[in-house]
Amino acid sequence: RVLIELTRIPWFPVENDLVLWPFALGFLPAAYHGELPMNEVVKGILFYLLLSTLMHCAACVINDMLDCDFDRKLVQRTKDQPFASGVVTKKEASILLAVLIAA
């Protein structure tokens, strides 16, 4: 549960859109002009939805790892996050990051 909070999955669509929409806005016209079958279009969008989610989760873990001292000491809103509060260790976060990047 704590690792899921570290990846910000509960906030799912919020920042994920920043990666997905540029792809979709380029992919859909290309698929139309290339006369790609609808099942290929759906598979492509779902694939990039998964990729953008994994990339967003990895970015959140990296951000928390790099900013943990700052978050813990200076930012009231983030001091209780899993990494800043010490609930998740650097080793656990590194393993999670490796799994996200490998996926």
Side-chain angles (χ1 to χ4, degrees):
R1 168 116 173 98
V2 175
L3 293 177
I4 290 174
E5 288 178 27
L6 188 63
T7 62
R8 313 285 198 298
I9 287 279
W11 299 3
F12 171 64
V14 177
E15 287 97 8
N16 204 27
D17 292 346
L18 295 174
V19 178
L20 180 64
W21 283 115
F23 159 77
L25 291 174
F27 178 70
L28 291 176
Y32 176 76
H33 288 295
E35 298 178 1
L36 209 60
M38 186 55 86
N39 66 335
E40 293 297 320
V41 172
V42 171
K43 282 196 290 188
I45 297 239
L46 290 176
F47 176 71
Y48 277 97
L49 178 64
L50 174 66
L51 280 180
S52 65
T53 302
L54 290 171
M55 194 164 59
H56 174 254
C57 291
C60 288
V61 173
I62 289 171
N63 177 56
D64 283 358
M65 290 173 73
L66 295 176
D67 291 346
C68 71
D69 293 333
F70 182 77
D71 289 343
R72 184 180 304 128
K73 295 174 186 171
L74 301 174
V75 182
Q76 184 69 23
R77 176 181 56 84
T78 59
K79 72 177 184 171
D80 294 327
Q81 288 180 346
F83 198 75
S85 65
V87 175
V88 175
T89 66
K90 194 165 199 121
K91 181 179 179 181
E92 291 170 332
S94 298
I95 291 170
L96 176 61
L97 180 60
V99 167
L100 289 169
I101 291 172

